[in-house]
Amino acid sequence: MRSSIHPVSRPVVFRDRAAGFQLLTRSTLDAQDTLVWEDGSTYPVVDVDVSSASHPFYTGTSRIVDTAGRVERFERRYARTAPVRP
């Protein structure tokens, strides 16, 4: 393998603040923040918006999505001008 063309892989903590979930794994991402892990070592930390601990598919919970008025808005926007023939 050629040297100095591959990104450096190192331990990084991924943190989902919404769920309070943290995962220590290897990654090539650069992070500015650091965190002291359970073993006492300091690792870079990357904050993520969604993880398996907070995603509705994995947790089995559903989020409420506001769908009221979407059909009516569609019909109003693309309403037919001529009556529909049977």
Side-chain angles (χ1 to χ4, degrees):
M1 283 176 34
R2 291 182 10 202
S3 61
S4 72
I5 63 167
H6 300 286
V8 177
S9 175
R10 62 188 163 280
V12 175
V13 175
F14 287 92
R15 177 174 55 189
D16 182 359
R17 290 185 178 220
F21 177 71
Q22 298 176 353
L23 174 69
L24 176 64
T25 187
R26 296 192 66 82
S27 177
T28 59
L29 287 176
D30 259 343
Q32 302 300 325
D33 298 332
T34 59
L35 173 80
V36 177
W37 190 247
E38 301 163 354
D39 62 0
S41 299
T42 302
Y43 297 106
V45 63
V46 176
D47 290 325
V48 295
D49 295 328
V50 178
S51 70
S52 61
S54 63
H55 194 279
F57 179 80
Y58 295 106
T59 61
T61 60
S62 61
R63 293 184 181 175
I64 298 172
V65 177
D66 182 23
T67 58
R70 288 188 181 182
V71 174
E72 290 82 10
R73 189 171 57 226
F74 176 83
E75 289 175 348
R76 204 172 43 244
R77 184 178 295 159
Y78 302 106
R80 295 180 184 213
T81 57
V84 177
R85 290 186 251 174

